[in-house]
Amino acid sequence: MIATKAKRSEKTLTCKQRFLGAIENSPIDRPPVWLMRQAGRYLPAYQEVKKNFTFLEMCRRADAAAEVSIQPFDILGVDAIIVFNDILIPLEHMGQKVDFTEKGPVVAPAARNAEILAGIHRGRFDETPAVFDSIAEIRRRIGGDVPILGFAGCPFTLSAYMVEGVVSKSLRYIKELLYANPRLLEKTLDLLTETVIDYLRIQIKAGADAVQIFDTWAGELSRSDYRRFALPYQRRIIEAIQSEGTPVILYVKGSSHVIDEMKASGASVLSVDWRINLRDISNRLGEGTVLQGNLDPTVLYAPPETVRRMTQKILDDAGRRTGHIFNLGHGVLPETPVESVQALIETVKHYDYSSR
Amino acid sequence: MIATKAKRSEKTLTCKQRFLGAIENSPIDRPPVWLMRQAGRYLPAYQEVKKNFTFLEMCRRADAAAEVSIQPFDILGVDAIIVFNDILIPLEHMGQKVDFTEKGPVVAPAARNAEILAGIHRGRFDETPAVFDSIAEIRRRIGGDVPILGFAGCPFTLSAYMVEGVVSKSLRYIKELLYANPRLLEKTLDLLTETVIDYLRIQIKAGADAVQIFDTWAGELSRSDYRRFALPYQRRIIEAIQSEGTPVILYVKGSSHVIDEMKASGASVLSVDWRINLRDISNRLGEGTVLQGNLDPTVLYAPPETVRRMTQKILDDAGRRTGHIFNLGHGVLPETPVESVQALIETVKHYDYSSR
C-alpha cells in the first residue's frame, strides 16, 4: 500500500512536497537530497559570480546571494535551496566585526574577557537584514514548489567564534570561560538564543520553509557540558520556531556521545556526520526519528563509482521508506569535483522507495 | 578486605607497582596519574633546556630527552615517565623527512600518490635509534621503581601524516587514498605496523615498562572504516607486544562511536577523551576494562578550585577501586599554568581507594 502510494506520487511530487514529506515521516517516492555548503567555490558558476564580490558582499547582495543559492538546484538538481549566508552574520548585529580571510573567519574584538563580553548585546536587526532580501529574491526566481532553507548557528557554536575570535582546535578560550565563569557564558548564550530566534523568524517571514541550526562545535563538549551549555539553548530555539509551524533541522558534528541529547532537543530532523551509522541510530532512536546525512564529504574526492557505492550504502543503511534526507556529514569541501557531486545526486534520485 | 590490602600497600607501593597494579586491575592505594605531553613547553624547566636545541635535536640527544622526560616526575610528582620523543620519528626511518615548525609538524615528501608511496619502506633502524638511548638514560637516572612508558603512533594515524604532509582538519588526502585505492593504503599500513612493532620493541629492550599507542586521528573514521583501516593494525601491534609481556595502552581521540572496537583491540588499557563518561563506559564495558583518562586539557586553564572539582568528578565517575589511570583526554596544551597541573595531581594523590 505504501508502495502504491509512493508509485502514484512519483510523478506528482514537487521538491517541496518530497522535502516536507520526509520531515513529516510520510510516504514519498525517494529521499530528498541537498548538501551542506552546496553553494560554494567547487562550482565554476559560483566562482564566476564570486570574482566580482567579497564573501561578505555576496551575503549582503540579494541578487548575488540568490544567484549562487539557486545554482546547485539548476546545475546539480538538488531538492532544496539553502540561502547563501553565514552563521557569523548575526554577530555583526551584536557588537562585533566579522571578516572572512583565506585562513577562515575572524571575529573582532575576540570577547575573551568580561569587559568585551559586557559590550555584546542582543542582535539589532532594525533595518531588514540582507538575508531577508536574499530569501525573498530566491522565492521570486524559483517559485513555490522548491523548498528554501534558512539557517543559523546555535548559541554554543556562535559563542565559540565570539570568544575565540579565530576558533582553535582545542577551543581554549571558550572552554576557559565555560569552566572559569559559567554564568557569564550562560548570559551570553541567552543573548545569542534571542538573536538567533529573531534571525530565523526574519528568514521564515521572507519565505524559508524550514531552517537548519548548526551546533558544529558542540560535539567538542563532554556530555554533561553539552547538557548545560548546548541543549537548553537549542531547545529554546527549536520550540520557538517549531511552535510557529516551521520545522527545524539540528546539525552537530561528532555527535555520537550526545545523540540522545540531540533527540531530546525536539528537533524535527537530526543531521549527523559519518561517524554515526544510520542503521544503528535508526534502530536505537526508532523509525519515528527523522535523520539527515551522512556521507563523509571526503568521499567526493574519490572516483564516481566509489561515490555511487558509498551513497548507495548510506541509503541502504538508513533502511527507510521515508524520514531520511540525504546530505553529507559536513559541508562540501573546496576542490570537490562536480562530477562526484552529480554521481551522488543521481544515485539518490534513482533510489526508489516503492521497490523496497 | 580490599580496603585492608590497599591500606597496607599505601606506604609500600612504588610508582611502578601502583602503575602496573592499575593495569592488572589489582588492589592499589589510589589511581596512578600521568599526563599526555607532560614534558612540554608549559614547564619553565623544559623551556630552559629547549632553548639550546631544536625539537628534533631534543629527540635525538639522550641527555636532553632524559632531562625533560624526568622533569614532570621531579617537579609535579607524576607516577610515570614517558620518554620525550615524537610519533613521527619512525617516518624518518621509512624514507621521509620530518620537520617541526611553529605551525606543527611537516612530513616531506607528502606521499599523495602511488609513486611516492612506492618509495616508502619498512623502517630501517640499523643503528640503535635515539629513543633507545633516551630510555636507557632515563632508567639510569631514575632507578627501577618508576615506570617508564614508551610510545608510538598507530598505523592509521601515521599514514595520515605520511600522506597529508601537513594534516588537514578534513584529512582530505588520506581519505582520498582510502576511498580511491584502499589496497594501497592497506599495504602502507602493513609497513607501518611492522615498523611500529620494531620501534616499540626497541623501547622495551631499552627499559620501557609499558607502551602507549596513539591512534589520534582514527576517531575521524566511520565505524566501518575504523574496523578495516585502524583496528586490525592496532590489534597486530597489541598482540605482538603484549605476547612478549609488555602492556599496551591504546589512545583514540573522539572514540565514542568506536569504543567497542577499541575494546576488541585487546589493549590492556583504553585511553579515552572527555567526550566519554567513565561511569557510562565502565558500566557498559565492565569493571574488567582498565581505563585511562579523561580530563579535558582545557580545564587546566580554569582556576585551581575548578581543576580540583573537575578532577574529583572524574575520579568519582570512574567509581573504581583499581583499573583506572588518571590522565587528560588529550595532551597538555601550551601555556597551561603549572599550578593547575599541580592541583590536578594533588587531587588524584589525595584520593584514597581504601576510604571508598
Side-chain angles (χ1 to χ4, degrees):
Chain A
M1 166 129 151
I2 289 166
T4 320
K5 264 195 199 171
K7 264 250 145 68
R8 198 180 328 131
S9 57
E10 198 168 358
K11 279 155 201 123
T12 56
L13 281 189
T14 64
C15 290
K16 194 190 278 190
Q17 287 167 331
R18 183 179 298 114
F19 194 82
L20 296 178
I23 293 179
E24 288 156 12
N25 226 346
S26 53
I28 46 174
D29 51 351
R30 61 162 176 85
V33 54
W34 71 282
L35 307 179
M36 288 186 264
R37 220 180 292 145
Q38 64 189 10
R41 47 187 161 140
Y42 72 102
L43 278 179
Y46 171 93
Q47 299 277 18
E48 202 54 39
V49 180
K50 175 71 180 67
K51 70 184 180 195
N52 304 309
F53 308 104
T54 67
F55 184 87
L56 268 175
E57 282 168 348
M58 301 261 287
C59 293
R60 285 177 188 144
R61 291 188 58 125
D63 54 348
E67 186 170 348
V68 298
S69 301
I70 294 171
Q71 283 171 353
F73 179 79
D74 285 343
I75 298 168
L76 304 165
V78 294
D79 290 303
I81 291 172
I82 185 162
V83 61
F84 187 84
N85 206 255
D86 193 87
I87 62 166
L88 300 182
I89 299 289
L91 301 188
E92 291 234 312
H93 298 260
M94 299 180 76
Q96 289 185 306
K97 291 300 281 178
V98 179
D99 195 18
F100 294 89
T101 73
E102 274 300 302
K103 289 181 179 180
V106 180
V107 176
R112 291 187 187 164
N113 59 51
E115 288 68 39
I116 302 177
L117 274 172
I120 299 290
H121 51 80
R122 177 173 173 166
R124 289 179 195 136
F125 302 108
D126 304 326
E127 304 163 72
T128 314
V131 73
F132 181 94
D133 294 328
S134 300
I135 291 178
E137 179 63 16
I138 296 170
R139 179 62 76 211
R140 203 184 61 72
R141 294 189 188 189
I142 206 69
D145 288 345
V146 182
I148 300 175
L149 300 181
F151 72 95
C154 284
F156 177 74
T157 292
L158 291 177
S159 77
Y161 285 99
M162 179 178 267
V163 170
E164 301 268 326
V166 175
V167 171
S168 70
K169 223 167 54 175
S170 64
L171 295 180
R172 166 180 175 170
Y173 296 102
I174 185 65
K175 286 196 176 173
E176 189 170 341
L177 176 64
L178 184 158
Y179 295 123
N181 199 343
R183 300 243 167 108
L184 180 56
L185 175 56
E186 286 173 329
K187 213 183 126 206
T188 306
L189 293 169
D190 276 333
L191 287 175
L192 282 162
T193 302
E194 291 161 3
T195 305
V196 165
I197 292 171
D198 289 345
Y199 199 63
L200 291 172
R201 280 182 176 146
I202 288 163
Q203 297 180 60
I204 292 161
K205 198 173 158 201
D209 300 290
V211 296
Q212 175 153 325
I213 56 174
F214 291 82
D215 221 346
T216 314
W217 292 108
E220 295 292 320
L221 295 172
S222 73
R223 204 170 165 183
S224 59
D225 286 340
Y226 185 99
R227 282 195 194 122
R228 179 167 176 190
F229 300 104
L231 178 59
Y233 306 95
Q234 293 166 358
R235 195 182 265 151
R236 269 167 60 191
I237 295 165
I238 290 164
E239 279 171 2
I241 300 302
Q242 291 186 173
S243 70
E244 295 163 8
T246 304
V248 179
I249 306 169
L250 171 64
Y251 172 75
V252 177
K253 185 159 182 267
S255 62
S256 310
H257 62 306
V258 288
I259 191 73
D260 293 327
E261 283 73 14
M262 277 184 81
K263 170 93 178 172
S265 73
S268 314
V269 182
L270 308 186
S271 186
V272 296
D273 79 9
W274 59 91
R275 289 177 186 83
I276 283 182
N277 180 283
L278 293 188
R279 188 183 303 272
D280 294 347
I281 218 64
S282 217
N283 288 339
R284 191 162 140 211
L285 301 180
E287 287 276 326
T289 307
V290 180
L291 299 173
Q292 179 175 276
N294 67 346
L295 188 74
D296 186 337
T298 60
V299 171
L300 295 172
Y301 292 126
E305 62 270 22
T306 308
V307 174
R308 282 188 206 99
R309 182 172 49 77
M310 302 287 288
T311 301
Q312 190 64 44
K313 186 181 176 302
I314 285 170
L315 291 162
D316 293 336
D317 274 349
R320 297 280 181 130
R321 281 184 299 202
T322 183
H324 175 216
I325 300 170
F326 200 98
N327 206 317
L328 300 177
H330 198 31
V332 180
L333 293 163
E335 298 176 43
T336 292
V338 177
E339 316 81 89
S340 294
V341 181
Q342 284 164 333
L344 181 166
I345 289 166
E346 281 160 22
T347 307
V348 180
K349 288 193 162 180
H350 278 105
Y351 199 72
D352 182 358
Y353 280 147
S354 70
S355 69
R356 292 193 67 247
Chain B
M1 164 127 154
I2 287 166
T4 320
K5 264 195 198 168
K7 265 252 144 69
R8 200 183 321 136
S9 57
E10 200 169 353
K11 277 154 203 127
T12 56
L13 281 189
T14 64
C15 290
K16 194 191 279 189
Q17 287 167 333
R18 182 180 299 114
F19 194 82
L20 297 177
I23 293 178
E24 288 156 9
N25 226 345
S26 54
I28 46 174
D29 50 352
R30 62 164 174 84
V33 54
W34 71 282
L35 307 179
M36 288 187 266
R37 220 180 293 145
Q38 63 190 9
R41 46 188 162 138
Y42 72 103
L43 278 179
Y46 171 93
Q47 299 276 18
E48 201 55 40
V49 179
K50 176 68 180 68
K51 70 183 181 195
N52 304 309
F53 308 105
T54 67
F55 183 86
L56 268 175
E57 283 169 347
M58 299 262 286
C59 292
R60 285 177 187 142
R61 291 188 56 128
D63 54 349
E67 187 171 347
V68 298
S69 301
I70 294 170
Q71 282 171 354
F73 179 80
D74 285 343
I75 297 167
L76 305 165
V78 294
D79 289 305
I81 291 172
I82 186 161
V83 61
F84 186 84
N85 206 256
D86 193 86
I87 62 165
L88 299 182
I89 300 288
L91 301 188
E92 291 233 312
H93 298 261
M94 298 179 78
Q96 289 183 305
K97 291 300 283 178
V98 180
D99 195 18
F100 294 88
T101 72
E102 274 301 303
K103 290 182 180 179
V106 180
V107 176
R112 290 186 189 166
N113 59 51
E115 289 65 43
I116 301 175
L117 274 171
I120 299 290
H121 51 78
R122 177 173 173 166
R124 289 179 195 134
F125 302 107
D126 304 327
E127 303 163 72
T128 315
V131 72
F132 181 94
D133 293 329
S134 300
I135 291 178
E137 179 63 17
I138 296 169
R139 180 61 76 211
R140 202 184 61 70
R141 294 190 188 187
I142 206 70
D145 289 345
V146 183
I148 300 175
L149 300 181
F151 71 95
C154 284
F156 177 74
T157 292
L158 291 177
S159 77
Y161 285 99
M162 180 177 266
V163 170
E164 301 268 327
V166 176
V167 172
S168 70
K169 223 167 55 176
S170 64
L171 296 180
R172 163 178 180 173
Y173 295 103
I174 186 66
K175 286 196 176 171
E176 189 170 343
L177 177 65
L178 184 158
Y179 295 122
N181 198 343
R183 300 244 165 106
L184 180 57
L185 174 57
E186 286 173 328
K187 213 183 127 206
T188 307
L189 294 169
D190 276 333
L191 287 174
L192 283 162
T193 302
E194 291 161 3
T195 304
V196 165
I197 292 172
D198 290 345
Y199 199 63
L200 291 171
R201 280 184 176 142
I202 288 162
Q203 297 179 63
I204 293 161
K205 198 172 159 201
D209 300 290
V211 297
Q212 176 153 324
I213 57 175
F214 291 82
D215 222 346
T216 314
W217 291 107
E220 295 291 321
L221 295 173
S222 72
R223 201 168 169 186
S224 59
D225 286 339
Y226 185 100
R227 282 195 193 125
R228 178 166 176 191
F229 300 104
L231 177 59
Y233 306 96
Q234 294 167 356
R235 194 182 264 153
R236 269 166 60 190
I237 295 165
I238 290 164
E239 279 172 2
I241 300 302
Q242 291 186 172
S243 69
E244 294 163 7
T246 304
V248 179
I249 306 168
L250 171 63
Y251 172 75
V252 177
K253 185 159 180 271
S255 63
S256 309
H257 62 307
V258 289
I259 191 74
D260 293 326
E261 284 72 15
M262 278 184 80
K263 170 91 178 173
S265 73
S268 314
V269 182
L270 307 187
S271 186
V272 296
D273 79 9
W274 58 92
R275 290 177 186 83
I276 284 182
N277 180 282
L278 292 188
R279 187 183 304 270
D280 293 347
I281 218 64
S282 218
N283 288 340
R284 189 161 141 211
L285 301 179
E287 288 274 325
T289 307
V290 180
L291 300 173
Q292 180 175 274
N294 63 347
L295 188 75
D296 186 338
T298 60
V299 171
L300 295 172
Y301 292 126
E305 63 271 22
T306 307
V307 174
R308 280 187 208 99
R309 182 171 49 78
M310 301 286 288
T311 300
Q312 189 66 42
K313 185 180 177 305
I314 285 170
L315 291 161
D316 293 337
D317 274 348
R320 298 281 182 131
R321 281 185 299 205
T322 183
H324 176 216
I325 299 170
F326 199 99
N327 206 316
L328 301 177
H330 198 31
V332 180
L333 293 164
E335 299 175 44
T336 292
V338 177
E339 316 80 90
S340 294
V341 181
Q342 284 164 333
L344 181 167
I345 289 167
E346 281 160 21
T347 307
V348 180
K349 288 192 163 180
H350 278 105
Y351 199 71
D352 183 357
Y353 280 146
S354 68
S355 68
R356 292 194 68 247

